[in-house]
Every structure is written in structure tokens, then in C-alpha cells.
Amino acid sequence: MRPTKRRNLIFMISDGFGIASETMAREYVQTTNNYPLEWASTLDDLLVGTTCTHSSNSLVTDSAAGATAFSCAQKTYNGAVGVNHERKPCGTILEAAKLAGYMTGLVSTSRITHATPGSFAAHVVHRDMEDLIAQHMVSSNSSLGPAPVVDLMMGGGRCYFAPQPPNEAAGNPTKSCRSDELDLWQFAQQKYGYTAVSTRKQFDDLKATDKLPLLGLFTDSHMSYEIDRDAAEEPSLTEMTQKALDMLHTATTAQNTSAVPGFFIMIEGARIDMAAHDNDPASHLHDIIEYWNAVTAVRRFIDTHPDTLMIGTSDHETGGLTLGFDPEYVWHPNVLSPVKSSAETICSEIRPLSKDHRALVNVVTTKVLPKLLGITNATREEINGIVDGAGGSSKACKHAVGHVVSDRAHLGWTTGGHTGADVGLYAYGAGSSGIRGNKDNTHVGQLLADFLDVNPESVTPMLAHLKTVQDDFDETATDEKTGKTVRV
């Protein structure tokens, strides 16, 4: 049954974004711009409640289970992408919307095959099965109809659409992360009529009237942190959001409105989470501010299209961020201002120097600290901390860099992983006045379905025979503490 009333739904996910992170970004903007203390971000006056985030097998969720709670309105285990706790496919809000006639879209600053976007259009038993996720995202499940379920995709992750070895023809991805010879970049274009774009110029040349479906992937893996992003090479989250909304709106209004009742799109600020995993406060900050910019673009769209609802929340909090730590009741936002590079980018430069101690110390003292982190009076302890971190794992290096900045700013991190804290729930536009209070993440998923007047569970029987396990994927690992083999 097709809905009789036109409506659009924009679901925004700020991955790993907790209440403390919102406070940090707000107070940074307040103090560095001399705004009054009552200044509020674009998100602050949209706050309507909080979201509980636990999964079916842990009080601390991962992004896959968190996103599946939104997409399927069901609890599932950590690592599950679009499958329930019994490892069976569950129908998603995006698939139900597509069957009801809506146009659909996914936008993310991660690989488009990553856990969060993947959970809306794919069904695999483990989030690392990105080869199979990519297949699901550009293919048609025959039970759902002849066309692919996603009309528009923008983000990173070209490498999971390129064969092994890569197709060297012009316009194809030059790097492959796949374990097989499938050329999904060409398959999507030739079989399902996708327009595939991968460069900044191709993005800029896209018009609102261009035909869908569209596959726009602008990096081999994740898109750059906002602090590192080269605007001449990659569009921002805000630019992708604006372009996606314009194209979906044009596509749905160019046709008979009874045939196309509107659109559903999920927009994710993914790298907020990854910066928090790295305990990298400046990268975390800049991706939050860019997410705010995307929210502002969505608000402007809704103001001129009042049949649209935006719901925003996070799948979980990451890092256990604290503003201030003993013994002083203070934190210093200005410390973040001169930082010019992410810990990820810094470590990609200094870790290869770990075997040459003199060269490493020289780069850390003459470039990393004064020019990239804005620290001109580094202590011996800070220098040694980064040098020692560069000789360890990638995570150890990024934490070493992030902690030097964090300690000076008096910002604390309790973990390099996720926490079980509740996260903010935000809403704006049509029907938002009825969304209030603390909601379980599955309840948020049900709110999405109710607004579009669709039922994801009605899709589930159509997915019964879908392949959910990637060929040659090893689902086992050795537990470091017990030495036993466990399912990942």
C-alpha cells in the first residue's frame, strides 16, 4: 500500500557523538568567537530527548547493532548488519520505504559499506563482510522488485566496488579492497543504470535534475576528517547533504506525487566517532562543527518544504569524553584552535620514521608539535610521548598525539572505544512536536516507520533466502586473554 500523503524523512546520525561532545563544540565556538555564554548551536534548540543505545548482547553497543536498531526497529547483537539476533535478515525502513514508492538515499563520510549506512540496505552477519555489503547495496533483491533499493549514495569506499585486480579502464577505481573479481563499479552502471561519479569535478557538475540512481564515492576508503579535507578533492558532508536533498526532491516532484510520495534519506557524520576512538579532540571538534553545518542545511530545506521531518540522534557515545579533570575545575578550548592536522594524518607521517630515532625526533620537534599542533613550548615528556607512540601501533600513536592536545586542554577520555551512555535525540519539522523524552533506539526506528506509514517487518519474509555470509570470511578469532577460538 502506498501512503496517501506526501512526506519526506531525513534521518541524521552523528556517530559516536555524546552530550559532552556537543558541550565541548559549543563552548569552543562561544569562547573563540567571543559569543555570549547563552549562544546555542543549531542542534541545541532541536533537542527533544535522549536515546538509549544498548544492543541485544551488551549494554555497550557497536555501530552495526545501533544502526540496525534504527533501520529494523529491532535489537540485535554487536556486529550485526541488517540481521536480527538469530542472524536472519530483518526488513529495514529504507527497504520498506522503497516498496511503498519513496525515493531513498544514503550519505556518509565513512565508506558507504561501513556498519551504519550498510545496516539500512544490506544484510550480513558481521560488519566486516564489506564485499557482500557492497553487493547488496547496488544489486536488486528480486523479492523487492527489479530495481536496486537505494536511489542515491554518496560517501567514501570506492575500493569495495573495484575488482581484484582493479579494472584499469578510465574512470574506474584504482584500488581494490575486495577479495574477489567482481567489478561492482561497472556492474552498478551497466546492470542497474547507476550514474557513477568519483571526483570533485564530477560532483560539482551534478545537477538537481540529473537522473537517479546515483553512486557517488569520492575516496577509496573513509572520507577525510574535516580538519584534513582538501576542498578541491572531496565534497564536505554539508555539500553532499545539499546535493542529495536537491536531487531527491527534484526526482520525487518531477513525477506524479501519488506515484512517488516523497523520500527517505539517512545522513551520517561518521568521522565524529573515529576521531573519538583516536582520542583526537581537534578532529572530533571539526567534524562536529561540519555536522552542525549539515544540520543547518537540512533545517533550511525543511523551512521551505514543510512536509519534511528531520530526526537526529547517535548510535552511541565514543571515548567517554570529559570536560575538565582533577584537580582543577577548568578546560581550555583555545588549545584546540591552532591544531591543523588529525592524529591519523600525523601518525601516517611519523610512524614510518620509527626506525630512525634522530629523524623521528626532528620531525616531532620541528613540525608536528609547533606547526601541526600549535605547541611551541613542548615539554620533554610530550616529545617522548609522541616519539614512543610512533614506535607502537597505529592506535598507540594516535592516542599519544591526541593526549598531548587533550591534556593541555584539560579534556579527558575514559576509553578508546564506545560507552553505554545515553545520547541526544533531536527533531525538527513535520510531526516533531510529538517526539519527546527518553527513547530506546528501537523506538527511534519505530518513529521513522510510523512517520512514513511503512512497516519494515513486512519486508522481512521477502529476505528469507538472501545470502548473509560472505564467501571465504573467517568468523572466528583467538581470544587474547583465554587463547580460545571465538566467533567474531
Coordinates of all heavy atoms in Angstrom, one line a residue, residues 129-176:
M129 N 32.0 -7.9 6.6 CA 31.8 -8.5 5.3 C 31.4 -7.4 4.3 O 30.3 -7.5 3.7 CB 30.6 -9.5 5.5 CG 31.0 -10.7 6.4 SD 29.6 -11.9 6.6 CE 30.3 -13.1 7.6
E130 N 32.3 -6.5 4.1 CA 32.0 -5.3 3.2 C 32.0 -5.7 1.8 O 31.3 -5.0 1.0 CB 33.0 -4.2 3.5 CG 32.8 -3.6 4.9 CD 33.6 -2.4 5.2 OE1 33.4 -1.3 4.5 OE2 34.5 -2.4 6.1
D131 N 32.6 -6.8 1.4 CA 32.4 -7.2 0.0 C 31.0 -7.5 -0.3 O 30.4 -7.1 -1.3 CB 33.2 -8.5 -0.3 CG 34.7 -8.3 -0.4 OD1 35.2 -7.2 -0.2 OD2 35.4 -9.3 -0.8
L132 N 30.3 -8.2 0.6 CA 28.9 -8.6 0.4 C 28.0 -7.4 0.6 O 27.0 -7.3 -0.1 CB 28.6 -9.8 1.3 CG 27.2 -10.4 1.2 CD1 27.0 -10.9 -0.3 CD2 27.1 -11.6 2.1
I133 N 28.3 -6.6 1.6 CA 27.5 -5.4 1.8 C 27.5 -4.6 0.5 O 26.4 -4.1 0.1 CB 28.1 -4.5 3.0 CG1 27.9 -5.3 4.3 CG2 27.4 -3.2 3.0 CD1 28.6 -4.6 5.5
A134 N 28.6 -4.4 -0.1 CA 28.6 -3.6 -1.4 C 27.7 -4.3 -2.4 O 27.0 -3.5 -3.2 CB 30.1 -3.5 -1.9
Q135 N 27.7 -5.6 -2.5 CA 26.9 -6.3 -3.5 C 25.4 -6.0 -3.2 O 24.6 -5.7 -4.1 CB 27.1 -7.8 -3.4 CG 28.5 -8.2 -4.0 CD 28.7 -9.7 -3.9 OE1 29.7 -10.1 -3.2 NE2 27.9 -10.5 -4.4
H136 N 25.0 -6.1 -1.9 CA 23.6 -5.9 -1.6 C 23.2 -4.4 -1.9 O 22.1 -4.2 -2.3 CB 23.5 -6.1 -0.1 CG 23.4 -7.5 0.3 ND1 23.1 -7.9 1.6 CD2 23.7 -8.7 -0.3 CE1 23.2 -9.3 1.7 NE2 23.6 -9.7 0.5
M137 N 24.1 -3.5 -1.7 CA 23.7 -2.1 -1.9 C 23.5 -1.7 -3.3 O 22.7 -0.7 -3.5 CB 24.8 -1.2 -1.2 CG 24.9 -1.4 0.3 SD 26.1 -0.3 1.1 CE 25.1 1.1 1.5
V138 N 24.1 -2.3 -4.3 CA 23.9 -1.9 -5.7 C 23.2 -3.0 -6.5 O 23.0 -2.8 -7.7 CB 25.3 -1.6 -6.4 CG1 26.0 -0.4 -5.7 CG2 26.2 -2.8 -6.4
S139 N 22.7 -4.0 -5.8 CA 22.0 -5.1 -6.5 C 20.5 -5.0 -6.2 O 20.1 -4.3 -5.2 CB 22.6 -6.4 -6.1 OG 23.9 -6.6 -6.5
S140 N 19.7 -5.7 -6.9 CA 18.3 -5.8 -6.6 C 18.1 -7.2 -6.0 O 18.4 -8.2 -6.6 CB 17.5 -5.7 -7.9 OG 16.2 -6.1 -7.7
N141 N 17.4 -7.2 -4.8 CA 16.9 -8.5 -4.3 C 15.6 -8.7 -5.1 O 14.7 -7.9 -5.0 CB 16.6 -8.3 -2.8 CG 16.0 -9.6 -2.2 OD1 15.4 -10.4 -2.9 ND2 16.2 -9.7 -0.9
S142 N 15.5 -9.7 -5.9 CA 14.4 -9.9 -6.7 C 13.1 -9.9 -6.0 O 12.0 -9.5 -6.6 CB 14.5 -11.3 -7.5 OG 14.6 -12.4 -6.6
S143 N 13.1 -10.3 -4.8 CA 11.8 -10.3 -4.0 C 11.3 -8.8 -3.8 O 10.1 -8.6 -3.5 CB 12.0 -10.9 -2.6 OG 12.4 -12.3 -2.8
L144 N 12.2 -7.9 -3.8 CA 11.8 -6.5 -3.6 C 11.6 -5.7 -4.9 O 11.2 -4.5 -4.8 CB 12.9 -5.8 -2.8 CG 13.3 -6.4 -1.4 CD1 14.3 -5.5 -0.7 CD2 12.1 -6.5 -0.5
G145 N 11.7 -6.4 -6.0 CA 11.5 -5.7 -7.3 C 12.7 -5.7 -8.2 O 13.8 -6.1 -7.7
P146 N 12.6 -5.2 -9.4 CA 13.7 -5.2 -10.3 C 14.7 -4.2 -10.1 O 15.8 -4.3 -10.7 CB 12.9 -5.0 -11.7 CG 11.7 -4.2 -11.3 CD 11.3 -4.7 -10.0
A147 N 14.4 -3.1 -9.4 CA 15.4 -2.0 -9.2 C 16.1 -2.1 -7.9 O 15.6 -2.7 -6.9 CB 14.6 -0.7 -9.3
P148 N 17.3 -1.5 -7.8 CA 18.0 -1.5 -6.5 C 17.3 -0.6 -5.5 O 16.5 0.3 -5.9 CB 19.4 -0.9 -6.9 CG 19.2 -0.1 -8.1 CD 18.1 -0.9 -8.9
V149 N 17.5 -0.9 -4.2 CA 16.6 -0.2 -3.2 C 17.2 1.2 -2.9 O 16.4 2.0 -2.4 CB 16.5 -1.0 -1.9 CG1 15.8 -2.3 -2.2 CG2 17.9 -1.3 -1.3
V150 N 18.4 1.5 -3.2 CA 19.0 2.8 -2.9 C 19.1 3.6 -4.2 O 19.9 3.2 -5.1 CB 20.4 2.6 -2.2 CG1 20.8 4.0 -1.6 CG2 20.4 1.6 -1.1
D151 N 18.4 4.7 -4.2 CA 18.4 5.6 -5.4 C 19.6 6.5 -5.4 O 20.1 6.9 -6.5 CB 17.2 6.4 -5.4 CG 15.9 5.6 -5.6 OD1 15.9 4.9 -6.7 OD2 15.1 5.6 -4.8
L152 N 20.2 6.8 -4.3 CA 21.3 7.8 -4.2 C 22.2 7.4 -3.1 O 21.8 7.2 -1.9 CB 20.8 9.2 -4.0 CG 21.8 10.3 -3.9 CD1 21.2 11.6 -4.5 CD2 22.3 10.6 -2.5
M153 N 23.5 7.3 -3.4 CA 24.6 7.0 -2.4 C 25.7 8.0 -2.6 O 26.2 8.1 -3.7 CB 25.1 5.6 -2.5 CG 24.1 4.5 -2.0 SD 24.7 2.8 -2.0 CE 24.3 2.4 -3.7
M154 N 26.1 8.6 -1.5 CA 27.3 9.5 -1.5 C 28.2 9.2 -0.3 O 27.6 9.1 0.8 CB 26.9 11.0 -1.5 CG 26.2 11.4 -2.8 SD 25.9 13.2 -2.7 CE 25.0 13.5 -4.2
G155 N 29.5 9.2 -0.5 CA 30.4 9.0 0.6 C 31.7 8.5 0.1 O 32.2 8.8 -1.0
G156 N 32.4 7.6 0.9 CA 33.6 7.1 0.6 C 33.5 5.6 0.3 O 32.4 5.0 0.3
G157 N 34.6 4.9 0.1 CA 34.6 3.5 0.0 C 34.6 2.9 -1.4 O 34.1 1.8 -1.7
R158 N 35.2 3.6 -2.4 CA 35.3 3.1 -3.8 C 35.9 1.7 -3.8 O 35.5 0.9 -4.7 CB 36.1 4.0 -4.6 CG 35.5 5.3 -5.1 CD 36.3 6.0 -6.1 NE 37.7 6.2 -5.7 CZ 38.2 7.4 -5.4 NH1 37.4 8.5 -5.6 NH2 39.4 7.6 -5.0
C159 N 36.8 1.4 -2.9 CA 37.6 0.2 -3.1 C 36.8 -1.1 -2.9 O 37.3 -2.1 -3.4 CB 38.8 0.2 -2.1 SG 38.4 0.0 -0.4
Y160 N 35.7 -1.0 -2.3 CA 34.8 -2.2 -2.2 C 33.9 -2.4 -3.4 O 33.2 -3.4 -3.5 CB 34.0 -2.2 -0.9 CG 34.8 -2.6 0.3 CD1 35.4 -1.7 1.1 CD2 35.1 -4.0 0.5 CE1 36.2 -2.1 2.2 CE2 35.9 -4.4 1.6 CZ 36.4 -3.5 2.4 OH 37.2 -3.9 3.5
F161 N 34.1 -1.6 -4.4 CA 33.3 -1.7 -5.6 C 34.2 -2.0 -6.8 O 33.7 -2.2 -7.9 CB 32.5 -0.4 -5.9 CG 31.4 -0.2 -4.9 CD1 31.8 0.4 -3.6 CD2 30.1 -0.6 -5.1 CE1 30.8 0.6 -2.7 CE2 29.1 -0.4 -4.1 CZ 29.5 0.2 -2.9
A162 N 35.5 -2.1 -6.5 CA 36.5 -2.4 -7.6 C 36.9 -3.9 -7.5 O 37.1 -4.4 -6.4 CB 37.7 -1.5 -7.4
P163 N 37.1 -4.5 -8.6 CA 37.5 -5.9 -8.6 C 39.0 -6.1 -8.2 O 39.8 -5.2 -8.2 CB 37.3 -6.3 -10.1 CG 37.6 -5.1 -10.9 CD 37.1 -4.0 -10.0
Q164 N 39.3 -7.3 -7.9 CA 40.7 -7.7 -7.7 C 41.3 -8.6 -8.8 O 40.8 -9.7 -9.0 CB 40.8 -8.5 -6.3 CG 42.1 -8.6 -5.7 CD 42.7 -7.3 -5.2 OE1 43.5 -6.7 -5.9 NE2 42.3 -6.9 -4.1
P165 N 42.2 -8.1 -9.6 CA 42.8 -6.8 -9.6 C 41.9 -5.7 -10.1 O 41.0 -6.0 -10.9 CB 44.1 -7.0 -10.4 CG 43.7 -8.0 -11.4 CD 42.8 -8.9 -10.7
P166 N 42.2 -4.4 -9.8 CA 41.4 -3.3 -10.3 C 41.3 -3.3 -11.8 O 42.2 -3.6 -12.5 CB 42.0 -2.1 -9.7 CG 42.8 -2.6 -8.6 CD 43.3 -3.9 -9.0
N167 N 40.1 -2.8 -12.3 CA 39.9 -2.5 -13.7 C 40.6 -1.2 -14.1 O 40.3 -0.2 -13.5 CB 38.4 -2.4 -14.0 CG 38.1 -2.2 -15.5 OD1 38.9 -1.8 -16.3 ND2 36.8 -2.5 -15.8
E168 N 41.6 -1.3 -15.0 CA 42.4 -0.1 -15.3 C 41.8 0.8 -16.3 O 42.4 1.8 -16.7 CB 43.8 -0.6 -15.8 CG 44.6 -1.4 -14.7 CD 46.0 -1.8 -15.2 OE1 46.3 -1.5 -16.4 OE2 46.7 -2.4 -14.4
A169 N 40.6 0.5 -16.8 CA 39.9 1.4 -17.7 C 39.7 2.8 -17.1 O 39.5 2.9 -15.9 CB 38.6 0.8 -18.2
A170 N 39.7 3.8 -17.9 CA 39.5 5.2 -17.4 C 38.2 5.3 -16.6 O 37.1 4.7 -17.0 CB 39.5 6.2 -18.6
G171 N 38.2 6.0 -15.5 CA 37.0 6.3 -14.7 C 36.7 5.2 -13.7 O 35.8 5.4 -12.9
N172 N 37.5 4.2 -13.6 CA 37.3 3.1 -12.6 C 38.2 3.4 -11.4 O 39.3 4.0 -11.5 CB 37.6 1.8 -13.2 CG 36.6 1.3 -14.2 OD1 35.4 1.2 -13.9 ND2 37.0 1.1 -15.5
P173 N 37.8 2.9 -10.2 CA 38.6 3.0 -9.0 C 39.9 2.3 -9.3 O 40.0 1.2 -9.9 CB 37.8 2.2 -8.0 CG 36.4 2.3 -8.4 CD 36.5 2.3 -9.9
T174 N 41.0 2.9 -8.8 CA 42.3 2.3 -9.0 C 42.8 1.4 -7.9 O 43.9 0.8 -7.9 CB 43.4 3.5 -9.2 OG1 43.3 4.3 -8.0 CG2 43.0 4.3 -10.4
K175 N 42.1 1.3 -6.8 CA 42.4 0.5 -5.6 C 41.3 -0.4 -5.3 O 40.1 0.0 -5.3 CB 42.8 1.4 -4.4 CG 43.1 0.6 -3.2 CD 43.4 1.5 -2.0 CE 43.7 0.6 -0.7 NZ 44.0 1.5 0.4
S176 N 41.6 -1.7 -5.0 CA 40.5 -2.6 -4.6 C 40.8 -3.1 -3.2 O 41.9 -3.4 -2.8 CB 40.5 -3.8 -5.6 OG 39.5 -4.7 -5.1

